[in-house]
Amino acid sequence: MAVSTELTILIVLFYLVLILGLGYYGYRRTKKVEDYMVAGRNTHPIVIALSYGATFISTSAIVGFGGTAAQYGMSLMWLTVLCIVVGVIIAFLFMGKRIRRIGKELGALTYPELLGKMFGSKFLIYASGLIFVAAMPLYTAAVLIGGARFIETTLGIPYMTALLGFAGVVALYVIIGGLIAVMYTDAVQGAIMLVGMGILLVLTYVYLGGVTAANSALEAMTSLVPENLAAIGMTGWTSMPEFGSPVWMTVITTLVLGVGIGVLAQPQLAVRFMTARDGKSLNRAVPMGALFIVMMTGVAFTVGPLTNVYFMETTGQLALAAAGGNADSVIPLYINAAMPELFVIIFMLTLLSAAMSTLSSLLHTMGTTLGGDMFARLKGKRYSVRANQIGIVVMMLASLAIAVVMPESIIARATAMFMGLCTAALLPAFTHGIISRTPSLLAAKWSMIAGAGGWLVWTVFAHTAESKALGVCNALFGVDSLVGSPWNYLDPLVTGTVLSVVVLLMLIPLDKNRVTREMQRSFV
């Protein structure tokens, strides 16, 4: 469907002026390092909720997971449930309040610094920083790809042009405005996402004859499940896969648990809690946060499977086949083929907002980690705006390089990989730190090492999705995985996290030199 070039340019220019204007607003309000790092610890609850949600829900959810839902069906709805229970209720009311209180008490400005101060350990600062600097560009590249692919499809411009232009605009306002700019642009972008996804859900059901007719048509397509998926446990697009089957392992352990639990270990989200004025602000943010997550993930996981009905009726193919086998192209193709011209532009802004909100937060986190937690600290300093800005530029270039070489259908998996690594390596130790008044540094260190090591070993030698692509296992042992089906579909998050928790619980009682509040406060 042709999109009016003039109208598109006009709307996009207005959008960019608004976003860059908010970036300038952040620049004017940034008077000290604390403003650049944690937005002055005085952010409105609605801004926190929208910024948290928009950062959490990126093109990975809308494009990547929407396309993955087209392949695996509505079983991904369990991720929506987990995102609300874990990603909003537990995250805000249990984790968030403690993170805000302890972060303010200890004067921490970043996730690695908070982790290090809770245990009085520079090792934990550098170790967590290394994980973010090494692994976060993978997630960032996935977000870049999602946004650039839709710009390419919608505007008909070269992919590299879309990728570089998109990255440049986001980097500009993050560099000049810091976290104040990031959070206020997130809030505006989150509002746009709510409108866009709401319209998408309504129009999809209207085009397919209503809720009952559309869902019934999808259920009736069970016999069309591809043989290769049916053979490994898929039973249809409106039902759960066979329990314990390879498809069940992929859906539940990689996609549902990987993101649904992994959200608690995301540094770019934890920082949002540190921007709140008080605990009541986080209470007031919960309803808006829950509504946002329902609209974003719920719509993506509903529309994704329903695209099979649309493409079967219009092309005689399933959605994945119509998209040339690339799950990341399903949603962009559906939008451009099925939706009216004006909505194509609105949805482009929705995806731009989703991608920019997450990308800006990732860049800010990576930049402050590299420039502040690692480089500046190694030179005997704490933080400086200039070091953070240089870090942002370096990490953006690294993410762009990865985005250029990443394969197709990678968005959802790259997201799950990063969240899985953070969960296995950091979540048990971090949770111990915010709960215990005298945490164990010994247990935290070895828990992190065990979690990261367990995740890495399972990724390289067992989980076929990664071990086959990496080729190390095959080169050493002549096979793609050292374990058989269905265990070669068990996500590394599960093995890494279990190992991390076990090590943590074993060592806590054995550590006689626990960290006290006085030691935490005196740590620099």
Side-chain angles (χ1 to χ4, degrees):
M1 179 179 295
V3 178
S4 169
T5 304
E6 295 78 10
L7 180 60
T8 301
I9 292 175
L10 182 63
I11 293 176
V12 170
L13 283 177
F14 175 79
Y15 172 78
L16 291 179
V17 169
L18 175 63
I19 295 303
L20 292 176
L22 289 169
Y24 180 70
Y25 171 76
Y27 166 74
R28 292 297 301 270
R29 283 194 56 189
T30 299
K31 306 298 183 183
K32 51 187 178 180
V33 173
E34 189 176 47
D35 296 332
Y36 195 89
M37 305 289 281
V38 290
R41 302 189 194 272
N42 193 33
T43 307
H44 193 279
I46 297 299
V47 174
I48 293 174
L50 287 174
S51 177
Y52 179 93
T55 299
F56 181 19
I57 304 299
S58 67
T59 46
S60 297
I62 299 173
V63 174
F65 279 81
T68 301
Q71 182 177 9
Y72 293 121
M74 292 184 177
S75 56
L76 264 72
M77 278 294 185
W78 282 106
L79 177 52
T80 298
V81 175
L82 211 58
C83 284
I84 294 170
V85 175
V86 176
V88 177
I89 297 175
I90 293 177
F92 275 75
L93 301 183
F94 178 74
M95 301 284 285
K97 288 185 177 181
R98 288 172 169 81
I99 291 172
R100 186 208 66 79
R101 176 176 53 79
I102 297 173
K104 185 174 182 179
E105 180 181 336
L106 299 181
L109 298 178
T110 67
Y111 185 106
E113 187 181 39
L114 176 60
L115 183 64
K117 285 195 168 191
M118 286 192 299
F119 291 96
S121 168
K122 289 185 178 180
F123 169 84
L124 293 186
I125 294 178
Y126 293 132
S128 58
L130 181 62
I131 289 174
F132 298 149
V133 169
M136 195 175 281
L138 179 69
Y139 181 22
T140 307
V143 175
L144 280 167
I145 291 171
R149 284 298 183 196
F150 193 78
I151 296 171
E152 174 196 29
T153 304
T154 304
L155 300 183
I157 62 177
Y159 172 68
M160 284 304 299
T161 302
L163 186 68
L164 294 174
F166 172 48
V169 170
V170 177
L172 178 61
Y173 74 77
V174 176
I175 289 171
I176 66 172
L179 195 60
I180 294 176
V182 169
M183 293 195 69
Y184 277 90
T185 53
D186 282 355
V188 171
Q189 290 159 346
I192 293 173
M193 291 163 66
L194 279 173
V195 172
M197 295 300 279
I199 296 174
L200 175 62
L201 180 65
V202 172
L203 289 182
T204 295
Y205 275 122
V206 168
Y207 290 163
L208 297 180
V211 175
T212 302
N215 290 345
S216 297
L218 184 63
E219 186 175 6
M221 291 172 59
T222 300
S223 60
L224 300 178
V225 171
E227 292 183 4
N228 62 319
L229 290 178
I232 56 175
M234 184 165 173
T235 59
W237 287 277
T238 59
S239 58
M240 288 293 294
E242 293 178 12
F243 179 78
S245 67
V247 173
W248 187 91
M249 287 284 194
T250 298
V251 169
I252 298 301
T253 67
T254 296
L255 301 175
V256 175
L257 291 180
V259 178
I261 301 297
V263 61
L264 294 178
Q266 297 304 290
Q268 71 276 13
L269 297 180
V271 170
R272 296 297 179 279
F273 303 132
M274 295 165 69
T275 68
R277 182 185 302 113
D278 50 37
K280 291 181 179 178
S281 297
L282 296 179
N283 290 340
R284 292 195 290 269
V286 169
M288 175 58 74
L291 172 64
F292 191 91
I293 297 300
V294 168
M295 286 300 298
M296 296 302 109
T297 60
V299 171
F301 300 155
T302 299
V303 172
L306 290 173
T307 59
N308 288 291
V309 177
Y310 172 81
F311 285 114
M312 186 57 64
E313 292 178 351
T314 56
T315 68
Q317 295 177 298
L318 294 174
L320 194 62
N326 184 3
D328 296 342
S329 295
V330 170
I331 297 299
L333 179 64
Y334 169 69
I335 297 298
N336 283 279
M339 297 292 152
E341 176 181 320
L342 180 60
F343 182 74
V344 173
I345 300 173
I346 292 173
F347 196 75
M348 181 184 69
L349 292 183
T350 300
L351 278 188
L352 279 176
S353 297
M356 291 174 78
S357 58
T358 300
L359 182 59
S360 62
S361 298
L362 293 175
L363 284 178
H364 185 269
T365 299
M366 291 189 297
T368 56
T369 298
L370 180 64
D373 291 312
M374 301 184 75
F375 180 72
R377 190 173 286 273
L378 283 172
K379 295 188 69 175
K381 301 179 181 179
R382 190 163 173 240
Y383 293 104
S384 76
V385 172
R386 179 57 58 86
N388 295 330
Q389 291 172 330
I390 294 173
I392 290 170
V393 173
V394 172
M395 297 312 299
M396 171 57 91
L397 292 175
S399 301
L400 277 171
I402 294 174
V404 171
V405 301
M406 282 175 74
E408 295 182 338
S409 300
I410 193 63
I411 295 177
R413 186 162 296 281
T415 302
M417 283 180 66
F418 172 69
M419 290 192 173
L421 173 59
C422 288
T423 303
L426 302 174
L427 185 58
F430 188 77
T431 303
H432 172 50
I434 65 173
I435 290 177
S436 176
R437 294 191 62 84
T438 56
S440 165
L441 174 58
L442 174 69
K445 278 184 178 180
W446 285 105
S447 172
M448 181 184 292
I449 293 170
W455 181 91
L456 182 61
V457 169
W458 199 263
T459 296
V460 175
F461 296 106
H463 197 228
T464 305
E466 288 85 39
S467 63
K468 184 176 180 180
L470 293 172
V472 176
C473 187
N474 191 280
L476 294 176
F477 303 105
V479 293
D480 293 328
S481 173
L482 296 181
V483 299
S485 181
W487 301 110
N488 58 325
Y489 291 89
L490 179 68
D491 196 81
L493 169 143
V494 177
T495 54
T497 304
V498 169
L499 185 59
S500 180
V501 170
V502 169
V503 170
L504 183 77
L505 295 178
M506 286 177 58
L507 292 181
I508 287 175
L510 301 179
D511 188 4
K512 304 304 181 184
N513 299 312
R514 306 285 281 272
V515 180
T516 64
R517 281 287 190 249
E518 289 70 25
M519 295 168 63
Q520 292 174 343
R521 295 189 186 99
S522 63
F523 178 80
V524 179

